Amino acid sequence: MGEKDSDVKTLNAAREPDDLEDVIIPKTNHCEYHGENGTIVNSTGAEGGEDQNIENVFDISIVLPHQPYKIQVPVSLQGQVQDLRSAIVEQAGTFQYTCFHLEHSGQRINDFTELSDVKGLAPGSEIRLIEDPYTERDARMHVVRIREIIGVAGNRVDMLNGVDAGLSLHETVAPWNGSDAASAAKQKSANLKLTADANPLSDFSFDGPALIQTLLPPNQEAPPRTIKALGVSPWNPPPPTFRQRGHLLYLQLTTNEGEQFQITSHVSGFFVNRSSNSKFDPVPKPSPKNAMAHSLLTLIQALSPSFGDAFNLLLEANNKRDPLATFQLTSAIPSNPWLVSASSSSATAHQPDLTRTQETYLLSGVENTETLRDWNEEIQSTRELPRETVQDRVFRERLLAKIFAEFNDAAARGGALVARGEVAPLNPTESKDAQIFVYNGIFYSFGADGVGTFTSEGGDEAARIAVGKDVAGVKSVNQLDITGLATPGTIIVDYLGKRLVAQSIVPGIFKQREPDEPQVDYGGVEGKDIVADNDAFVPAFSQVSKALKVKKHAVWDKERKKHVLEGSVETKGLLGTDGRKYILDLYRLTPLDISWLDAYWTDSICHGQKPLEQNYPHRMSVLRPELIEAYWRVKMSEYVKAELDKRKDDQKDVADGDKPDQPDHKSAGETGDAQSTGASGAEKNGLETTRDRGRVDISAFSFSLNPDVFCGQVPQTAEEKEEWANDERDVRAVADYLHQNIIPEFIRDLKEGEVGFPMDGQSLSRLMHKRGINVRYVGKLASLTKEGSPRLQALNGLAKQEMIARAFKHVAIRYLKNLPTAMAPSCLAHLLNCLLGTETNSSPKAQLDEDLQYLYKDADFSFADATPQSLQTDIETQTQLRYRYTLEEAWLSGVRRAQLLREIALKLGLQLSAKDYCLSPETESRPSDLVSMTNGSATPSPINGHATNGATSNGGKRKKKRNNGDSPPISATTSAILEPPHTFIADDIVNIVPIVKDSSSKSVLAEEALEAGRISMMQNQKELGQELLLESLSLHEQIYGILHPEVARVYHQLAMLYYNLDEKDAAVELAHKAVVISERTIGIDSDETILSYLNLSLFEHANHNTAVALACQRHALELWKIIYGPDHPDCMTTYNNAAVMLQHLKFFHESRVWFEKSYAVSEQMSGKDSVSTATLAFQLAQALALDQDHKGGVNRMREAYSIFHHKLGPDDRNTKEADSWLDQLTVNAVSIAKHAKDVQAQKVRRALFTPRVTLRTQPQAPVGRSSTEGMNGHVAHPTDSLDNRSIDELMKYIESSGDATRKTPTKKRKNPRSRRAEPSL
């Protein structure tokens, strides 16, 4: 790697000035870290303490050769010299430097060392920046960087990253501006004159359509143009004569003044030459138009009088934006929104840029060899780096994360090219499914059964599942990080109906061995017929098996010879030519789900009662590792209980004996802590603490499963058969545990509201996987929730929507697999019309180009024969086969079509044009299902017949934005198809992006610190827990980079921590960062992003920025409509929080409306007699009283009292509070009725009805997690619900601005709906 690699990527690697420095604080009681000298560092040690931490961060001076001549840069001794270089070139006054080295005390500093290795580096030290001569590569990288900085790079057409990839909308919702964010937000909030009729929630419609504007970025002003063009000259590259003189590149510059300059890139810098468009003379131009500078940026400034002012305006415009929203993602694949502006709009307009075609040359050189890398060697050599000290581990994991991110990016790009047919196969004579490819040093193959390996398992379906399971297995082994065991870099790419597996090339994998020598060194060679043994693989494989609960077991080859393996017979070990031991084919780390296969699979050679055509599509249905882990805990609990019972029996025997000095009878499971004291048995019994008596050593406990049972293995001896039968019994027990415990508990938790309810198909699938439930059981979830409470009905609807979307995906894949790329949009548009566009045209016709049909004579155009009826039949068939669920006859009328469209788009990687889609009969009159998805067109599209919803939406209150662009132009493929209209046309499929699943592991070190912080908080050690969580954040930032999903999640958790610790400014800042990173890496409308917005809203409100808080609430609610629809089971908390905020602003009537909606949702979802409904009735009664509806307030308070009395008893504090308030409200209602004319008395009495609980907001429960356990580990109790402030304090609240605070700190009160009280990490 060249010395100046970081120069090109400095924009990508830039960090916020306020980010935590790269400082490690290795101190904790709960997990140990090794100090630099190998000593154990913990919370009582002096190493890594806070004082040392502060001393290691200081400012140094950088002496520059040009203005401003000297700058100050903060550094940490734990940082790298490369970090210092990045910090230098990212400052406004040092943009021009890319080719330089650093010197300290006259000695050159190695760019690849740590700052701690620089001798004499201390606070105030001076480091000199010395400009270096350029090489051709340095010059090319310099040109690329300068083009980025001055804003002439233009838009890039990227096959991997789609339109608006990595988009963040946060700046348009809640403006944020760096370190001054808190004060800026407060100022903004103060300046906004909110009124009851003009606030972010004033025109919100609970049942109105979702708004497309929620997902689209607003039109932004074009940035200032600094120059017209900068690119490679037609005279490039230099001829040999001038290359020997130091000429590197020839460039062409056109300034805003219209002047054109030919520039020579020389080893000494850049200068204007004598060449023109027709004459070649690259020597320096004579005076007065001669100019030369080491940096191209400095040269441009000298040549163009207007450049300086325009460049300053560009910097000002960039500085107004949040850096997190503008930095390019390098450590994660950015999220791609499923709805984007039309290709004809200004937001996505394609700009001319000749140099765009030259970027490959600028980045990779003439021979394109600089991007070719030996991925496998890089990955394996990084894994072999030392890991003894904390700094070693940080450096190693940081480099691993970087290499995996770069490999994933390169592999995904290559996979897209292979799927599009742009890469030639290595074996073109083989069938298409059997073809293999090598591109950019990465090996590709199709996830299909091209060579018949999975014929008996389900063919192509089994092969497709196997490669997915293999990636998951590689990820699990990578997470174990076992020394001496290597795995290839592996990802899968789903694109255009094809699944490709991309792997780094293992040395020796293609080597042809001797005829009698097996192709692999351990495990099954050719299925189960030949099995290889190699003792060298046993130690490493045994570690994998132990960690993943895989039993060491025997298998038999075709000659009935016994082989004892540490893993599945399908898992292979290969000794590479580099001497490393590789583990391959990890798709069967867990046993088959035999209960599913018994019910829904029949082998073709057997005669069963089930017809083969009704078989499950494949036999690769395995149990999830989370299920095995849960069952392992159950068995361990049984073991511990048995050991404790045994110990009690032993102690009872001792007590009944006649020998008081009888030594202690230790069970096999006891720890040896007491034995180390050397005391007698009686003394040990006397000193043993309660904690010691309750401890059991589980080292003797063992539970593992045989992954090869039910796979055709035939034991030979009676002993082997008995053991095999026991293994089968264990696997069946786990499968039964799934059906009898896991699935019922899952449904019960969602029914009772013990965990956050899923918002869409992705969150439902993720929650099922977390519980150990395979997605194939989503049909069973739907069957078990057909009847029941509204929450179960909501789960039933979500499960059916997920099944339909997945079934449609499988149907679409079948059509796309053998279809030319150019016809994919037409295919998808036709299928979408058949499913969702029947309201516009009940008999849609496919848009086919006859010329393309003629060109692709061998292609499969059968999608054109699909009809709405045939597609619905296919979906019903797929749903029955894959999920064993029978859809109702009119199932399409019962689904949320807008949400179904989103699910389909996300699963297939579609980016659709943002416009009104007529998806249901209501769309034309009241677009409640999809959404007022419009780009503002005032008239229907003449191509597809789309009708807009009029001039207003959202109940007539929210005006539509002006059109960002005209309707899509009529293409060659659609010009002849105007009648009848269609809901979707091919042009609506703006882009198709690959769906990537990688095998990158999480950072073990960062996760250790995070877990230690959680444990400390649960043990109420807040200071230690806070310190450890901050350390974990620093580790996450160092290892992953800031723009990464894992960093977003840590920001989110730390924000909640600070909120609970009443450090509001810090909570707000972290929450803002969490929102931006979630949007850019997870999705602008993902469930995690919505949750981040909701919590940010609470933090802003607590920080007295209620205007911003309401804007965040509005945005989150609009996103919620898009991904779920109205009235999500958990939305009552959000509605209640919005009511609290409106009440804080003294908008009592508007607050009442939101309380009423929250109460209505709770009544619907939780029941009229639930404690949560009673609590909301209590709050609503107070809101009604404030809104002068005293009779209604009395009625609601009476309801709350009745429920509290019935559910909690007459002695409960909530019951007593409700009784007291009922008496007051009744008396005052009667009094006010008698003295209606006495306005002053009315005002005094009205003060008595101030809410007691509505001044508090509650964080939203994360999907799949209970919110009863807070950061400090305390569990909220149902009785801790009502505020205990005095009437005087409440009167002050009404008479003041609403900022009255308590006189003395009191315990936080929780809502009786305890799951909403505090979210857990």
Side-chain angles (χ1 to χ4, degrees):
M1 187 175 295
E3 184 181 67
K4 307 298 184 300
D5 275 9
S6 64
D7 295 343
V8 186
K9 302 179 181 178
T10 45
L11 281 177
N12 307 338
R15 299 181 58 182
E16 265 192 273
D18 293 338
D19 285 332
L20 295 172
E21 296 298 331
D22 299 340
V23 178
I24 308 300
I25 313 173
K27 44 185 258 182
T28 170
N29 284 324
H30 308 291
C31 62
E32 297 175 335
Y33 303 93
H34 291 276
E36 294 188 7
N37 58 357
T39 58
I40 297 296
V41 181
N42 54 39
S43 60
T44 59
E47 260 186 72
E50 187 175 354
D51 294 339
Q52 179 186 359
N53 204 20
I54 296 174
E55 292 175 2
N56 286 345
V57 182
F58 50 82
D59 288 341
I60 61 173
S61 299
I62 307 297
V63 180
L64 307 172
H66 309 291
Q67 288 184 347
Y69 299 113
K70 183 180 287 189
I71 59 173
Q72 299 290 320
V73 177
V75 298
S76 164
L77 289 181
Q78 280 75 28
Q80 305 288 321
V81 176
Q82 287 285 0
D83 297 331
L84 176 58
R85 289 179 61 96
S86 298
I88 292 173
V89 300
E90 284 308 313
Q91 297 203 22
T94 53
F95 279 146
Q96 67 268 31
Y97 299 108
T98 62
C99 186
F100 63 89
H101 71 268
L102 302 174
E103 291 184 358
H104 180 252
S105 301
Q107 299 295 319
R108 179 166 181 158
I109 301 175
N110 190 317
D111 291 339
F112 301 98
T113 61
E114 294 184 4
L115 289 174
S116 58
D117 296 333
V118 180
K119 295 182 179 180
L121 189 64
S125 295
E126 286 192 354
I127 290 182
R128 190 171 297 275
L129 186 149
I130 307 297
E131 293 176 334
D132 285 338
Y134 288 96
T135 63
E136 186 204 356
R137 183 182 183 281
D138 293 335
R140 288 189 280 105
M141 296 300 102
H142 184 82
V143 172
V144 172
R145 173 170 166 77
I146 296 304
R147 279 173 49 82
E148 292 279 359
I149 291 175
I150 64 178
V152 295
N155 63 310
R156 290 188 173 91
V157 179
D158 195 332
M159 190 175 299
L160 176 62
N161 302 327
V163 180
D164 289 335
L167 174 68
S168 173
L169 301 174
H170 180 55
E171 291 177 302
T172 65
V173 177
W176 188 250
N177 194 16
S179 58
D180 297 329
S183 59
K186 288 183 179 179
Q187 187 67 30
K188 174 180 175 63
S189 181
N191 291 338
L192 288 176
K193 300 299 182 182
L194 298 182
T195 64
D197 296 328
N199 65 76
L201 297 180
S202 59
D203 60 347
F204 180 81
S205 174
F206 296 105
D207 300 320
L211 300 175
I212 187 175
Q213 289 87 353
T214 308
L215 297 179
L216 297 181
N219 286 335
Q220 296 181 351
E221 295 182 2
R225 293 193 62 179
T226 55
I227 61 174
K228 287 186 178 180
L230 173 65
V232 179
S233 168
W235 299 113
N236 197 70
T241 303
F242 288 99
R243 182 172 294 278
Q244 293 183 82
R245 300 183 190 178
H247 291 206
L248 305 174
L249 300 172
Y250 296 135
L251 309 174
Q252 185 171 290
L253 167 69
T254 305
T255 66
N256 284 342
E257 291 80 10
E259 289 190 87
Q260 187 178 89
F261 297 92
Q262 299 286 337
I263 297 174
T264 296
S265 171
H266 191 263
V267 292
S268 61
F270 297 82
F271 61 83
V272 179
N273 63 40
R274 292 181 174 184
S275 297
S276 66
N277 291 334
S278 59
K279 177 184 176 182
F280 178 65
D281 189 4
V283 300
K285 201 167 189 175
S287 180
K289 292 191 176 182
N290 63 327
M292 180 176 181
H294 187 269
S295 172
L296 182 58
L297 183 67
T298 307
L299 179 64
I300 296 174
Q301 192 164 7
L303 296 176
S304 174
S306 64
F307 175 81
D309 293 337
F311 185 54
N312 289 332
L313 291 175
L314 178 64
L315 292 179
E316 290 178 8
N318 291 337
N319 290 335
K320 291 178 181 178
R321 299 199 61 191
D322 186 344
L324 290 180
T326 57
F327 289 162
Q328 184 176 347
L329 280 81
T330 58
S331 57
I333 295 177
S335 66
N336 294 291
W338 64 280
L339 272 179
V340 296
S341 301
S343 57
S344 59
S345 69
S346 59
T348 58
H350 195 51
Q351 302 296 332
D353 182 15
L354 181 62
T355 315
R356 185 189 299 120
T357 60
Q358 304 169 349
E359 283 191 344
T360 301
Y361 158 71
L362 290 173
L363 293 172
S364 307
V366 176
E367 303 296 332
N368 196 27
T369 57
E370 295 179 15
T371 57
L372 296 180
R373 302 165 63 175
D374 187 342
W375 293 106
N376 190 76
E377 181 60 31
E378 288 190 45
I379 292 172
Q380 309 311 333
S381 59
T382 304
R383 282 201 178 111
E384 293 165 357
L385 289 173
R387 59 180 91 177
E388 284 75 19
T389 67
V390 173
Q391 288 305 317
D392 286 343
R393 294 178 67 185
V394 171
F395 179 77
R396 176 179 176 273
E397 293 189 4
R398 181 180 186 178
L399 193 56
L400 265 178
K402 176 178 180 293
I403 289 176
F404 272 117
E406 293 172 352
F407 171 79
N408 294 342
D409 183 84
R413 294 179 188 278
L417 290 175
V418 172
R420 295 173 68 92
E422 307 287 348
V423 181
L426 298 180
N427 53 342
T429 59
E430 300 286 343
S431 65
K432 187 174 181 180
D433 287 343
Q435 289 177 349
I436 57 176
F437 309 81
V438 173
Y439 181 79
N440 197 12
I442 300 172
F443 173 74
Y444 295 92
S445 61
F446 288 105
D449 192 23
V451 295
T453 305
F454 297 95
T455 302
S456 61
E457 307 289 332
D460 288 346
E461 286 281 358
R464 183 182 180 90
I465 295 299
V467 296
K469 297 295 183 183
D470 182 42
V471 169
V474 172
K475 188 168 190 173
S476 299
V477 174
N478 286 343
Q479 192 65 45
L480 297 177
D481 201 11
I482 296 172
T483 303
L485 188 64
T487 57
T490 309
I491 71 167
I492 55 175
V493 181
D494 290 323
Y495 186 56
L496 296 174
K498 305 172 185 68
R499 169 164 287 190
L500 290 121
V501 56
Q503 293 179 306
S504 60
I505 301 175
V506 176
I509 195 170
F510 296 122
K511 179 182 177 182
Q512 292 296 325
R513 303 194 180 190
E514 297 297 328
D516 58 343
E517 186 180 4
Q519 286 297 110
V520 298
D521 300 286
Y522 190 78
V525 180
E526 298 176 3
K528 298 179 281 289
D529 293 340
I530 301 176
V531 181
D533 291 318
N534 191 327
D535 292 339
F537 284 84
V538 172
F541 271 56
S542 64
Q543 295 183 60
V544 175
S545 299
K546 181 178 180 182
L548 300 180
K549 317 294 186 301
V550 178
K551 182 178 181 179
K552 182 178 181 179
H553 62 281
V555 296
W556 297 264
D557 58 22
K558 62 181 179 180
E559 298 177 355
R560 304 306 182 196
K561 181 181 177 182
K562 179 179 178 181
H563 304 266
V564 178
L565 298 180
E566 288 287 348
S568 168
V569 69
E570 306 290 352
T571 303
K572 301 171 178 58
L574 176 69
L575 185 62
T577 55
D578 57 357
R580 298 186 178 100
K581 301 180 184 67
Y582 292 87
I583 183 171
L584 307 172
D585 292 349
L586 296 167
Y587 53 82
R588 189 168 288 170
L589 292 176
T590 57
L592 293 174
D593 185 355
I594 189 58
S595 62
W596 181 271
L597 294 177
D598 281 347
Y600 307 121
W601 176 269
T602 298
D603 291 325
S604 57
I605 60 175
C606 299
H607 299 282
Q609 297 180 353
K610 300 183 295 296
L612 293 180
E613 60 271 13
Q614 295 184 9
N615 263 357
Y616 190 63
H618 57 83
R619 200 176 184 273
M620 297 299 296
S621 53
V622 297
L623 300 172
R624 289 198 62 82
E626 296 90 345
L627 172 65
I628 296 175
E629 186 70 23
Y631 190 76
W632 178 85
R633 292 195 186 97
V634 171
K635 300 300 289 184
M636 185 184 67
S637 299
E638 293 176 356
Y639 172 82
V640 171
K641 184 177 183 300
E643 288 295 317
L644 291 176
D645 292 342
K646 180 180 178 182
R647 184 179 303 175
K648 290 179 181 178
D649 293 340
D650 291 343
Q651 292 174 351
K652 182 178 180 182
D653 293 340
V654 172
D656 294 340
D658 296 328
K659 299 180 179 180
D661 57 345
Q662 182 178 355
D664 208 14
H665 293 284
K666 299 281 184 182
S667 67
E670 285 190 83
T671 62
D673 294 347
Q675 296 177 3
S676 62
T677 61
S680 66
E683 290 173 335
K684 280 183 277 188
N685 285 335
L687 296 175
E688 187 180 33
T689 64
T690 303
R691 178 183 175 186
D692 292 334
R693 287 196 299 269
R695 296 178 63 186
V696 175
D697 184 3
I698 63 171
S699 61
F701 170 74
S702 176
F703 173 79
S704 56
L705 296 174
N706 183 347
D708 288 327
V709 294
F710 307 111
C711 293
Q713 294 291 333
V714 182
Q716 301 300 304
T717 66
E719 182 180 356
E720 291 170 352
K721 292 179 180 178
E722 182 181 358
E723 183 179 2
W724 202 261
N726 292 333
D727 292 344
E728 290 181 345
R729 189 160 46 250
D730 288 341
V731 172
R732 288 191 181 276
V734 177
D736 292 341
Y737 180 70
L738 170 65
H739 290 270
Q740 298 172 7
N741 297 86
I742 297 295
I743 294 178
E745 289 175 3
F746 176 79
I747 295 176
R748 183 172 61 252
D749 288 346
L750 289 177
K751 175 185 177 182
E752 297 177 356
E754 294 298 327
V755 296
F757 200 88
M759 299 181 187
D760 60 354
Q762 286 185 327
S763 57
L764 175 62
S765 301
R766 189 169 60 248
L767 180 55
M768 291 175 65
H769 287 166
K770 187 177 178 181
R771 293 292 188 97
I773 306 173
N774 303 84
V775 173
R776 60 177 171 270
Y777 285 105
V778 69
K780 183 169 184 177
L781 291 181
S783 299
L784 295 175
T785 56
K786 280 186 176 180
E787 299 177 356
S789 68
R791 291 182 70 89
L792 291 184
Q793 293 298 307
L795 178 60
N796 177 268
L798 201 57
K800 288 193 292 187
Q801 175 181 291
E802 181 68 2
M803 286 188 290
I804 294 168
R806 286 175 177 266
F808 180 92
K809 179 189 74 172
H810 288 290
V811 174
I813 286 174
R814 187 183 71 205
Y815 288 122
L816 288 170
K817 184 177 180 181
N818 298 312
L819 194 67
T821 303
M823 297 303 297
S826 297
C827 172
L828 291 166
H830 179 61
L831 294 178
L832 289 174
N833 281 326
C834 291
L835 180 66
L836 300 173
T838 53
E839 297 301 329
T840 301
N841 188 340
S842 59
S843 300
K845 302 297 181 182
Q847 303 172 17
L848 293 177
D849 190 311
E850 294 181 358
D851 294 336
L852 288 178
Q853 281 185 287
Y854 180 78
L855 286 174
Y856 297 103
K857 295 181 179 179
D858 297 331
D860 181 8
F861 293 97
S862 59
F863 74 88
D865 299 328
T867 65
Q869 293 74 26
S870 67
L871 179 61
Q872 291 184 30
T873 301
D874 287 343
I875 290 176
E876 292 168 1
T877 301
Q878 291 292 324
T879 303
Q880 175 62 35
L881 281 178
R882 296 179 183 276
Y883 311 110
R884 300 297 154 172
Y885 185 82
T886 302
L887 293 170
E888 299 82 359
E889 289 188 7
W891 56 267
L892 188 56
S893 62
V895 299
R896 292 185 170 100
R897 298 195 178 193
Q899 288 69 37
L900 179 59
L901 176 62
R902 174 181 177 271
E903 295 288 352
I904 291 172
L906 292 176
K907 286 173 172 54
L908 290 173
L910 308 184
Q911 291 191 293
L912 304 177
S913 178
K915 60 171 66 174
D916 263 338
Y917 294 111
C918 182
L919 302 182
S920 63
E922 292 81 6
T923 306
E924 296 180 358
S925 59
R926 187 186 64 83
S928 59
D929 265 337
L930 187 89
V931 324
S932 180
M933 288 197 162
T934 175
N935 56 5
S937 299
T939 59
S941 168
I943 299 175
N944 54 15
H946 296 168
T948 60
N949 297 317
T952 60
S953 61
N954 195 16
K957 295 181 180 180
R958 188 179 181 92
K959 293 184 179 181
K960 286 189 176 181
K961 295 186 178 180
R962 299 185 64 183
N963 188 5
N964 296 337
D966 299 328
S967 299
I970 301 178
S971 67
T973 60
T974 61
S975 58
I977 306 177
L978 299 179
E979 294 295 342
H982 292 80
T983 299
F984 298 92
I985 60 173
D987 287 345
D988 290 335
I989 313 297
V990 177
N991 191 29
I992 305 175
V993 296
I995 305 297
V996 179
K997 298 178 182 178
D998 63 70
S999 59
S1000 306
S1001 59
K1002 293 183 180 180
S1003 166
V1004 177
L1005 185 62
E1007 291 297 318
E1008 285 177 356
L1010 182 61
E1011 185 63 23
R1014 288 172 174 168
I1015 294 174
S1016 297
M1017 296 303 298
M1018 292 178 64
Q1019 295 178 348
N1020 208 25
Q1021 301 180 29
K1022 293 186 177 180
E1023 292 185 4
L1024 177 60
Q1026 183 178 356
E1027 184 178 350
L1028 288 169
L1029 289 172
L1030 285 173
E1031 177 186 343
S1032 174
L1033 173 61
S1034 177
L1035 289 170
H1036 276 84
E1037 290 179 337
Q1038 291 179 71
I1039 292 168
Y1040 296 115
I1042 295 180
L1043 297 176
H1044 194 278
E1046 294 301 323
V1047 177
R1049 295 177 182 114
V1050 175
Y1051 276 139
H1052 178 84
Q1053 296 177 27
L1054 274 179
M1056 186 60 66
L1057 164 70
Y1058 281 117
Y1059 176 71
N1060 289 336
L1061 296 178
D1062 207 28
E1063 298 183 23
K1064 299 171 184 176
D1065 287 337
V1068 167
E1069 182 175 355
L1070 290 172
H1072 273 282
K1073 293 182 179 181
V1075 166
V1076 175
I1077 301 173
S1078 295
E1079 285 184 321
R1080 301 196 65 196
T1081 60
I1082 305 174
I1084 57 174
D1085 59 349
S1086 69
D1087 62 294
E1088 293 184 59
T1089 300
I1090 293 176
L1091 181 63
S1092 296
Y1093 265 112
L1094 291 174
N1095 282 343
L1096 171 60
S1097 174
L1098 301 190
F1099 305 159
E1100 287 282 18
H1101 172 66
N1103 208 26
H1104 310 295
N1105 301 330
T1106 304
V1108 176
L1110 290 175
C1112 293
Q1113 284 272 349
R1114 173 64 180 263
H1115 186 70
L1117 289 170
E1118 294 290 359
L1119 291 177
W1120 219 333
K1121 280 187 185 181
I1122 290 173
I1123 75 170
Y1124 179 84
D1127 294 344
H1128 184 272
D1130 285 348
C1131 67
M1132 65 189 83
T1133 301
T1134 303
Y1135 292 160
N1136 187 76
N1137 290 339
V1140 170
M1141 296 174 190
L1142 291 170
Q1143 195 174 78
H1144 176 83
L1145 296 173
K1146 303 294 184 66
F1147 301 155
F1148 295 126
H1149 178 71
E1150 290 69 23
S1151 173
R1152 164 188 175 169
V1153 172
W1154 285 81
F1155 275 125
E1156 288 175 336
K1157 183 61 177 177
S1158 178
Y1159 173 78
V1161 174
S1162 178
E1163 195 174 46
Q1164 177 187 357
M1165 294 296 172
S1166 303
K1168 295 183 178 180
D1169 297 331
S1170 67
V1171 175
S1172 62
T1173 302
T1175 304
L1176 292 173
F1178 187 99
Q1179 299 178 3
L1180 177 58
Q1182 299 169 338
L1184 291 171
L1186 284 172
D1187 197 35
Q1188 302 301 306
D1189 186 354
H1190 306 288
K1191 181 178 179 181
V1194 171
N1195 292 335
R1196 292 301 182 198
M1197 189 61 72
R1198 184 177 292 110
E1199 291 178 13
Y1201 170 75
S1202 299
I1203 297 173
F1204 284 146
H1205 188 276
H1206 176 70
K1207 294 288 186 179
L1208 305 178
D1211 297 329
D1212 185 82
R1213 187 173 60 83
N1214 287 325
T1215 308
K1216 294 179 180 179
E1217 287 278 349
D1219 187 28
S1220 174
W1221 274 94
L1222 179 59
D1223 292 341
Q1224 293 183 52
L1225 288 174
T1226 304
V1227 171
N1228 283 280
V1230 173
S1231 177
I1232 289 174
K1234 291 181 179 179
H1235 303 281
K1237 296 182 181 181
D1238 189 353
V1239 179
Q1240 186 61 33
Q1242 186 183 37
K1243 291 181 180 180
V1244 173
R1245 289 180 175 88
R1246 192 166 63 226
L1248 298 177
F1249 310 142
T1250 308
R1252 306 267 312 246
V1253 290
T1254 54
L1255 298 185
R1256 297 188 54 78
T1257 54
Q1258 299 295 337
Q1260 185 75 40
V1263 173
R1265 296 183 183 178
S1266 171
S1267 59
T1268 56
E1269 296 181 4
M1271 289 286 299
N1272 56 3
H1274 291 167
V1275 178
H1277 299 286
T1279 56
D1280 295 338
S1281 63
L1282 306 181
D1283 205 333
N1284 59 355
R1285 278 183 254 193
S1286 66
I1287 295 296
D1288 293 337
E1289 289 177 300
L1290 297 173
M1291 290 179 64
K1292 289 180 182 179
Y1293 169 75
I1294 283 293
E1295 295 169 358
S1296 66
S1297 61
D1299 293 336
T1301 57
R1302 304 182 186 185
K1303 296 181 180 178
T1304 57
T1306 59
K1307 181 180 179 181
K1308 291 185 179 181
R1309 318 308 304 177
K1310 278 85 175 179
N1311 192 302
R1313 299 179 73 249
S1314 58
R1315 75 180 191 88
R1316 293 286 199 277
E1318 296 178 358
S1320 63
L1321 278 178

